[in-house]
Amino acid sequence: TEDTRSHPTNIIAQSDNLRFFGDVAGRSTLVLAMRPYTLLVKKHLNKALCLQHFPSQAIERHVVPEVEVQDNPELLLRPILIERSKTEKCLIEPSINSVRISLKLNQTDALEEALTKMYMRFLMQRADSLDVLRRAAMEGYDISFLITDTHVLELGRPQLLDFICGFIEEVDTEVSQLKLSVNARGRAVAVEFLRSLAF
């Protein structure tokens, strides 16, 4: 029989009905719109973070994240792919002693793509300050995190869940605010340029 563990379980987050809130402004609106998506990520990530200490089977007295080396298929669980839309998704890859979370962020135009790329690169260059952040994202994703059993013991599962879900909610807002700032600067430059051409 075919081993289905390499094929991710696909889950669609239904959040369109919470996209607009007339009485809630700005940041709160975006956060509320993403709440069903982040709650679904939190639910499945909570299950995936049931990790245990597991030494390497190949090297004595070494502990390596099995989700990274992938030398032992029996130690890997089936990946979970959660999609909010075609352009926004989260891939959770669990194993016996580590979990890898990869995020694809919503990018509707070239400006958002450029801003997201620069912002994620800025964060990944500072991975030393944040233990769970990978220096390079998985192919096809914007940013990736690696959580081991040591992180769960030291930081706590609830704190890690809140951090990942908070990051998902806040990063979309940050990119939107950067886009508004760039557009405002562009308009100001255009106004000054046209004013300098006026006779």
Side-chain angles (χ1 to χ4, degrees):
T1 60
E2 183 183 359
D3 188 359
T4 59
R5 283 177 293 187
S6 60
H7 304 292
T9 302
N10 223 1
I11 300 170
I12 307 298
Q14 301 292 339
S15 60
D16 290 344
N17 58 333
L18 294 178
R19 188 159 294 170
F20 298 105
F21 288 84
D23 56 339
V24 184
R27 180 181 295 266
S28 300
T29 306
L30 292 172
V31 170
L32 285 173
M34 297 195 69
R35 190 56 53 83
Y37 173 58
T38 54
L39 287 177
L40 200 55
V41 170
K42 188 173 186 177
K43 173 186 173 183
H44 289 279
L45 186 56
N46 185 40
K47 298 175 184 178
L49 286 179
C50 295
L51 307 175
Q52 66 182 56
H53 180 75
F54 193 87
S56 172
Q57 294 181 324
I59 306 173
E60 188 176 356
R61 296 184 181 180
H62 276 69
V63 179
V64 294
E66 293 294 337
V67 73
E68 292 284 352
V69 294
Q70 298 195 359
D71 288 336
N72 305 292
E74 68 275 9
L75 302 179
L76 305 175
L77 301 177
R78 188 170 184 174
I80 301 168
L81 180 63
I82 302 172
E83 293 182 333
R84 184 171 180 244
S85 64
K86 292 182 179 180
T87 59
E88 191 170 8
K89 56 188 176 181
C90 172
L91 177 64
I92 302 173
E93 300 172 273
S95 70
I96 191 169
N97 66 352
S98 55
V99 177
R100 185 167 57 202
I101 305 111
S102 301
L103 301 174
K104 178 68 176 175
L105 305 176
N106 188 34
Q107 300 161 43
T108 57
D109 53 34
L111 178 57
E112 280 193 3
E113 289 179 10
L115 290 173
T116 300
K117 184 178 179 180
M118 288 188 290
Y119 190 33
M120 294 303 105
R121 186 172 58 192
F122 171 82
L123 292 176
M124 287 185 287
Q125 286 175 345
R126 288 149 182 82
D128 288 338
S129 303
L130 189 62
D131 291 340
V132 297
L133 183 62
R134 292 180 90 244
R135 286 188 174 275
M138 296 298 294
E139 186 176 354
Y141 293 86
D142 297 309
I143 193 166
S144 297
F145 299 89
L146 177 66
I147 300 175
T148 65
D149 61 303
T150 305
H151 294 137
V152 176
L153 288 174
E154 292 179 352
L155 304 174
R157 191 195 299 184
Q159 287 76 14
L160 288 169
L161 290 171
D162 290 342
F163 169 75
I164 297 295
C165 293
F167 179 87
I168 294 172
E169 291 176 350
E170 293 296 326
V171 71
D172 195 51
T173 306
E174 293 294 335
V175 172
S176 297
Q177 289 180 343
L178 286 172
K179 183 179 179 181
L180 290 174
S181 177
V182 170
N183 287 335
R185 290 182 190 178
R187 282 194 297 271
V189 169
V191 168
E192 290 299 323
F193 177 73
L194 293 174
R195 188 174 294 167
S196 67
L197 296 178
F199 295 100

